[in-house]
Amino acid sequence: FLITSLENERTQSHVKIKKSDQMDNSNVLKGLLYGGIASCVAETCTMPVDVVKTRLQMDGAGGQRLYKGPLDCAGALVRAEGPSALFKGLPPALLRQSTYGSLRYGLYGPIRNSLGVEPGTPKTEIPMWKKVFAGGVAGALASAVANPTDLVKVRLQTDGQLK
């Protein structure tokens, strides 16, 4: 049984990937849309953790510690400000994520292809330096455009904490 499983695993690892199974970087608009949607879903799911983290980072800035830990912080926020407090700063965060995620994912393929990579080239045949360079440039451009909304998000998340 073990030998058969190992043989099947080895055989499956050498199967050629169909074009439909590869990540599609040929359509920039599709990449922008998919990157933006995925980033917004992830941001919405993790927003309560981000709010608690930001509140804990600011805890004690006014000279007095308000929270004993993450659960105490989350509970105190919900009791004092309601459940919606865990989603403070969501609108600018979604703006940032939709912009950042869209640009980062949407620009990667065109930047990589501008380095001489033909669309449809299997990723195993693309030199690592081209992938790293394209990813770095796409990420830097996306950060430069989207970062100002982070300041707005943090201000909203800590609103009322330093009064």
Side-chain angles (χ1 to χ4, degrees):
F1 175 75
L2 180 60
I3 294 173
T4 305
S5 296
L6 290 173
E7 190 62 35
N8 285 339
E9 188 175 314
R10 190 176 63 110
T11 305
Q12 289 173 356
S13 67
H14 294 294
V15 173
K16 291 205 180 244
I17 298 172
K18 295 182 290 188
K19 184 147 178 84
S20 62
D21 293 338
Q22 293 178 355
M23 189 166 82
D24 181 16
N25 287 319
S26 62
N27 187 326
V28 176
L29 290 177
K30 205 188 287 186
L32 291 170
L33 179 67
Y34 292 168
I37 290 171
S39 296
C40 286
V41 168
E43 185 68 28
T44 302
C45 292
T46 60
M47 181 54 69
V49 174
D50 193 35
V51 170
V52 169
K53 173 200 67 125
T54 303
R55 288 288 181 114
L56 287 171
Q57 287 174 333
M58 297 301 295
D59 192 28
Q64 178 184 5
R65 295 196 63 89
L66 302 172
Y67 312 114
K68 295 176 184 165
L71 292 177
D72 181 49
C73 178
L77 275 171
V78 171
R79 282 190 300 278
E81 302 174 41
S84 64
L86 294 174
F87 292 91
K88 276 190 169 184
L90 186 60
L94 291 177
L95 176 62
R96 180 195 187 279
Q97 285 303 94
S98 62
T99 306
Y100 177 74
S102 294
L103 289 174
R104 187 181 49 152
Y105 183 78
L107 294 177
Y108 170 77
I111 292 169
R112 186 198 63 206
N113 293 348
S114 73
L115 298 172
V117 176
E118 292 295 321
T121 303
K123 56 185 171 181
T124 56
E125 294 178 19
I126 301 170
M128 181 60 74
W129 75 267
K130 289 184 180 184
K131 295 179 198 177
V132 171
F133 183 78
V137 171
L141 289 172
S143 288
V145 170
N147 251 7
T149 58
D150 250 358
L151 176 62
V152 175
K153 177 187 82 166
V154 171
R155 293 280 170 103
L156 288 171
Q157 287 176 339
T158 59
D159 184 40
Q161 187 176 12
L162 298 176
K163 291 182 182 173

